[in-house]
């Protein structure tokens, strides 16, 4: 008798080409997770016919809905394929520092045709979502912890496979992950903020001491489009509103001086334009000589939307500042941008090797430099 155990679960995700046609997750397609909540539910059409009795007759099967979250600790390498799905544009990588491959991701105006196959091996069977669209992600990192990412999934169908099907108990054995398991840690984080029209962000003047950060990217995908094309299975999701990029910075103390945050409360009240970056630098070399693993989040235009330092008792005054990030039409000093579809969209602004740079200013773009992926992330 097989009993499903969470610690034995294996998860794979791979870009697919045709909505409704699964692909096999194999070597390099693995995704380590903390938890998952991807569920498939077939709706029941209730029988409301009056038949002269006090009880109802049986209903009929209705639409299939598939969705949920994948939660994982943020690794410097291994999350790039699933992250690229949220951006929608990924070009051919270039070699950096001899052994790194730089991937530039930019926010596409639409995610049409961008989806993958998600396979979750649960020992008893494999749950296969033939077409899974990644509709956004949230990111957080708190004091003393690893960073954590939650990817939101909207799928077409959930098949239960044992020995048959594209992804089954046999094929799942071939799913592997990149060998590097370095994680983003709070102690590796640097946050810098200054005026949006000011000079380039600098370590000497613009560092802010924080107790935690969080970010949410929502592509506003409508995932419940049912037509005669799919019958009871959902059509591919389509973006149905603006992309939203929001976040929060948490402060352990309300303070002035070096690393202080008192000016950010004034900026919140005035809705002053700021620019900001979050830099995670790993402990291991990623390139051939000098470049360490990095994730760099760049925010070329930020407005703080709410948050007030308040006295909640006799202790230290703490507070959090919420923000929204916007598209810009001109690059702020120190952040490089490139033209795309008639607008100005940002790319990497720092020397990169094994780097993810997320730049919500188009309102979102990214550059990743990896060691094991010489091909594009969205072939």
């Amino acid at each position: 008798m097989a009993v499903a155990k969470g610690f034995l679960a294996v998860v794979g995700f791979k870009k697919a080409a045709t909505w409704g046609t699964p692909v096999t997750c194999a070597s390099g397609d693995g995704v380590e997770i903390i938890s998952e909540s991807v569920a498939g539910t077939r709706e029941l059409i209730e029988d409301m016919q009056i038949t002269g009795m006090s009880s109802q007759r049986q209903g009929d099967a209705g639409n299939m809905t598939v969705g949920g979250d994948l939660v994982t600790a943020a690794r410097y390498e291994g999350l790039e394929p699933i992250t690229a799905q949220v951006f929608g544009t990924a070009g051919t990588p270039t070699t950096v520092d001899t052994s790194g491959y730089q991937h530039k991701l930019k926010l596409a105006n639409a995610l049409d045709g961008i989806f993958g196959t998600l396979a979750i091996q649960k020992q008893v069977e494999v749950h296969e979502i033939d077409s899974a669209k990644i509709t956004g992600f949230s990111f957080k990192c708190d004091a003393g912890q690893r960073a954590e990412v939650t990817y939101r999934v909207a799928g077409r169908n959930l098949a239960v496979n044992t020995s048959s099907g594209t992804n089954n108990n046999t094929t799942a054995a071939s799913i592997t992950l990149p060998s590097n398991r370095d994680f983003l840690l709070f102690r590796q984080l640097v946050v810098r903020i200054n005026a949006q029209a000011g000079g380039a962000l600098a370590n000497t003047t613009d560092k802010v001491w924080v107790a935690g950060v969080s970010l949410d990217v929502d592509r506003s995908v409508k995932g419940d489009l049912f037509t005669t094309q799919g019958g009871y299975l959902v059509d591919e999701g389509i973006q149905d509103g603006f992309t939203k990029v929001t976040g929060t910075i948490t402060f352990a103390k309300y303070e002035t001086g070096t690393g202080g945050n008192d000016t950010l409360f004034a900026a919140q009240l005035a809705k002053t334009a700021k620019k900001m970056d979050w830099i995670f630098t790993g402990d291991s070399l990623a390139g051939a000589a000098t470049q360490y693993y990095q994730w760099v989040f760049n925010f070329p235009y930020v407005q703080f939307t709410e948050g007030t330092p308040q006295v909640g008792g006799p202790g230290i005054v703490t507070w959090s500042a919420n923000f929204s990030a916007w598209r810009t039409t001109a690059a702020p000093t120190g952040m490089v941008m490139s033209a795309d579809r008639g607008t100005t969209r940002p790319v990497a602004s720092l020397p990169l090797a094994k780097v993810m740079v997320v730049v919500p200013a188009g309102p979102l773009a990214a550059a990743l430099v990896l060691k094991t992926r010489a091909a594009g992330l969205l072939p």
Side-chain angles (χ1 to χ4, degrees):
M1 178 181 69
V3 177
K5 304 174 183 66
F7 59 83
L8 292 177
V10 175
V11 178
F13 181 86
K14 187 171 185 176
K15 185 181 182 301
T18 303
W19 187 257
T21 302
V23 295
T24 304
C25 298
S27 178
D29 299 326
V31 179
E32 287 187 359
I33 65 168
I34 295 172
S35 66
E36 59 90 8
S37 60
V38 181
T41 302
R42 190 76 181 270
E43 296 175 0
L44 179 66
I45 304 172
E46 187 177 2
D47 189 319
M48 298 298 294
Q49 300 297 101
I50 297 173
T51 62
M53 299 293 290
S54 64
S55 56
Q56 295 170 288
R57 298 295 299 272
Q58 75 277 5
D60 293 307
N63 291 335
M64 171 75 80
T65 57
V66 180
D69 294 338
L70 295 176
V71 182
T72 178
R75 292 172 45 152
Y76 281 102
E77 192 166 30
L79 297 178
E80 56 278 1
I82 195 169
T83 304
Q85 297 262 325
V86 180
F87 290 89
T89 299
T92 303
T94 56
T95 302
V96 179
D97 193 19
T98 304
S99 59
Y101 295 100
Q102 185 184 69
H103 296 262
K104 293 181 179 179
L105 308 184
K106 290 184 279 186
L107 182 71
N109 280 330
L111 292 179
D112 300 358
I114 306 297
F115 51 85
T117 294
L118 176 65
I120 307 174
Q121 208 278 350
K122 301 186 178 184
Q123 302 99 64
V124 178
E125 70 263 330
V126 172
H127 289 189
E128 176 190 78
I129 293 82
D130 54 14
S131 299
K133 208 162 185 77
I134 311 302
T135 64
F137 68 85
S138 60
F139 174 97
K140 68 177 182 179
C141 189
D142 295 318
Q145 302 297 317
R146 290 174 173 175
E148 186 176 288
V149 187
T150 299
Y151 295 99
R152 296 186 285 275
V153 179
R156 173 183 176 272
N157 189 28
L158 192 156
V160 178
N161 300 337
T162 52
S163 59
S164 61
T166 302
N167 291 275
N168 54 55
N169 288 335
T170 300
T171 64
S174 65
I175 296 175
T176 63
L177 300 96
S179 59
N180 181 280
R181 288 193 77 250
D182 288 358
F183 293 91
L184 282 68
L185 305 175
F186 178 82
R187 64 174 174 80
Q188 300 167 340
L189 171 62
V190 172
V191 174
R192 305 185 300 181
I193 306 172
N194 72 9
Q196 203 274 337
L201 292 165
N203 288 333
T204 54
T205 57
D206 300 320
K207 286 184 179 180
V208 179
W209 313 139
V210 307
V213 295
S214 66
L215 170 67
D216 187 83
V217 180
D218 185 359
R219 293 305 306 265
S220 299
V221 172
K222 185 175 178 61
D224 58 351
L225 296 170
F226 292 94
T227 71
T228 52
Q229 178 183 13
Y232 71 91
L233 298 175
V234 71
D235 292 351
E236 181 186 348
I238 299 174
Q239 186 156 344
D240 191 40
F242 291 121
T243 296
K244 298 292 186 180
V245 180
T246 57
T248 302
I249 304 175
T250 302
F251 304 103
K253 48 193 173 180
Y254 183 43
E255 61 181 328
T256 62
T258 301
N261 53 71
D262 62 304
T263 60
L264 299 183
F265 175 54
Q268 185 273 113
L269 294 176
K271 295 300 175 279
T272 305
K274 296 286 188 179
K275 63 177 178 289
M276 170 174 66
D277 62 18
W278 305 347
I279 305 173
F280 288 87
T281 303
D283 299 330
S284 301
L285 277 172
T290 59
Q291 181 63 56
Y292 289 82
Y293 283 84
Q294 283 187 318
W295 278 30
V296 182
F297 293 77
N298 284 338
F299 304 86
Y301 197 112
V302 165
Q303 287 176 302
F304 289 96
T305 56
E306 61 180 334
T308 300
Q310 296 173 318
V311 178
I316 295 171
V317 175
T318 65
W319 72 295
S320 296
N322 297 340
F323 66 86
S324 290
W326 311 110
R327 186 185 74 238
T328 62
T329 57
T333 302
M335 293 185 181
V336 180
M337 303 173 78
S338 64
D340 180 32
R341 295 191 180 182
T343 61
T344 305
R345 297 177 183 272
V347 294
S349 62
L350 298 174
L352 302 175
K354 291 282 177 125
V355 180
M356 170 182 277
V357 179
V358 179
V359 191
L364 193 66
L368 294 72
V369 181
L370 314 168
K371 192 169 186 176
T372 59
R373 298 188 191 271
L377 298 175
L378 295 172

